[in-house]
Amino acid sequence: MIHLVTGKGGVGKSTLAAALAWRLAAQGRRTLLVELGERSYFRHVFHSDLDGHDAQINSKLTLARWEGEAVLREYLLHLLKIERMVKLFFDNKVMRALVQAAPALKELALMGKVTSGPRHIGPSLPYDELVVDAYATGHFRALWRAPIGLAEAIPFGPMGEQSRSIVRVLKDAELTKIYVAMIPEDLPVTEGLELARDIQAELDQKPEILFN
C-alpha cells in the first residue's frame, strides 16, 4: 500500500508520516518511509545519514530520501542499462536545459518511483508499505497533476502509457491512500479542505484528514 501524506507547511505532516510508518512497522509490516526533496528532516529525527543511501531504522522500518533529478537518473539507467549513456544525457547542455525547464519531468519521475511497485516498473521495492512524506499542498498538486497532464497531452507512446499507469495507481484506493494533515487553525483547515476537495475531484479519492 502507498500512503501519501501532505498538508500545509508547518502543520506537522512529516511527524505524522513518521508516526504512521512507525505504527505500520510495529505491526510487523516491512515499511519504507520516504521524504521527497533535497533537504532531510528525518535524518535529525532518526539520527541517520541519508546522503545517497537508505537507512535501516529497525528490522521493519527503512528510511530514504528521493530527489527528482536523482530519481530521473535512476529510471533512465534502469531503461538504458548503460551508465555512460545516462551521464552523456545529463552532461548534454540541451538535455540539462530541458530537464531544468520542464519540472514536470522530475515530478513524473518521482510519481513513477512511488507507484513503481504496483506497476512492476523499475527496480523492485521489497516493502509491504510505502509511506511518503510528500510535498506541501501547492507542490503536492503539481506532483499528482504531472502524470495527469502528460497522460492527456500524449495519447500514444511509452511516456503517455507510463503516465496513465501512474494515474491508475493513484486513483485505486486499494493501492493508494492519501492523508491531508491539518492543525485547528483557520488557514491550515481552509487550505487543507480545498486540497482534499481537489484530490477527490481529480483522483476520485476521498483523503483521510489528520489533525495534529
Side-chain angles (χ1 to χ4, degrees):
M1 172 69 80
I2 300 165
H3 306 264
L4 298 171
V5 184
T6 183
K8 181 177 172 57
V11 301
K13 68 176 181 61
S14 297
T15 301
L16 290 169
L20 173 61
W22 191 270
R23 186 185 70 183
L24 291 168
Q27 293 171 351
R29 308 288 290 169
R30 294 173 302 166
T31 303
L32 178 64
L33 172 60
V34 174
E35 55 185 341
L36 303 183
E38 298 179 359
R39 295 182 179 180
S40 175
Y41 165 76
F42 291 141
R43 70 182 298 172
H44 304 294
V45 174
F46 293 101
H47 306 289
S48 297
D49 183 9
L50 287 176
D51 290 337
H53 305 282
D54 295 352
Q56 194 74 35
I57 304 305
N58 58 40
S59 62
K60 296 296 182 181
L61 179 60
T62 305
L63 183 62
R65 179 176 61 83
W66 295 346
E67 183 272 323
E69 185 169 318
V71 170
L72 185 57
R73 282 176 178 266
E74 179 187 287
Y75 181 64
L76 287 176
L77 180 59
H78 176 75
L79 288 180
L80 300 176
K81 310 297 184 188
I82 303 173
E83 189 169 355
R84 180 170 174 78
M85 289 185 65
V86 176
K87 189 174 185 301
L88 286 172
F89 175 89
F90 280 94
D91 285 347
N92 182 284
K93 291 182 179 180
V94 175
M95 292 298 100
R96 283 207 62 81
L98 174 63
V99 170
Q100 295 301 322
L105 288 178
K106 295 181 182 179
E107 317 302 341
L108 184 67
L110 284 170
M111 293 313 294
K113 182 159 185 174
V114 167
T115 59
S116 63
R119 297 187 306 117
H120 305 291
I121 295 293
S124 63
L125 294 174
Y127 301 97
D128 304 309
E129 310 286 348
L130 173 60
V131 179
V132 181
D133 177 24
Y135 297 128
T137 51
H139 200 171
F140 185 67
R141 284 187 176 88
L143 196 62
W144 93 66
R145 285 174 175 169
I148 291 176
L150 285 170
E152 293 173 350
I154 308 174
F156 306 105
M159 183 170 284
E161 183 49 44
Q162 289 295 321
S163 298
R164 282 183 285 278
S165 70
I166 292 171
V167 174
R168 285 194 292 270
V169 172
L170 293 177
K171 288 186 172 184
D172 189 339
E174 300 272 325
L175 300 174
T176 304
K177 192 169 185 178
I178 304 173
Y179 307 78
V180 178
M182 303 180 193
I183 55 175
E185 295 179 3
D186 286 346
L187 189 56
V189 169
T190 299
E191 192 169 311
L193 290 177
E194 288 176 353
L195 177 66
R197 284 193 291 268
D198 288 346
I199 292 169
Q200 190 162 5
E202 297 180 32
L203 293 178
D204 302 321
Q205 282 252 36
K206 185 175 182 179
E208 184 172 331
I209 305 298
L210 299 177
F211 271 100
N212 193 13

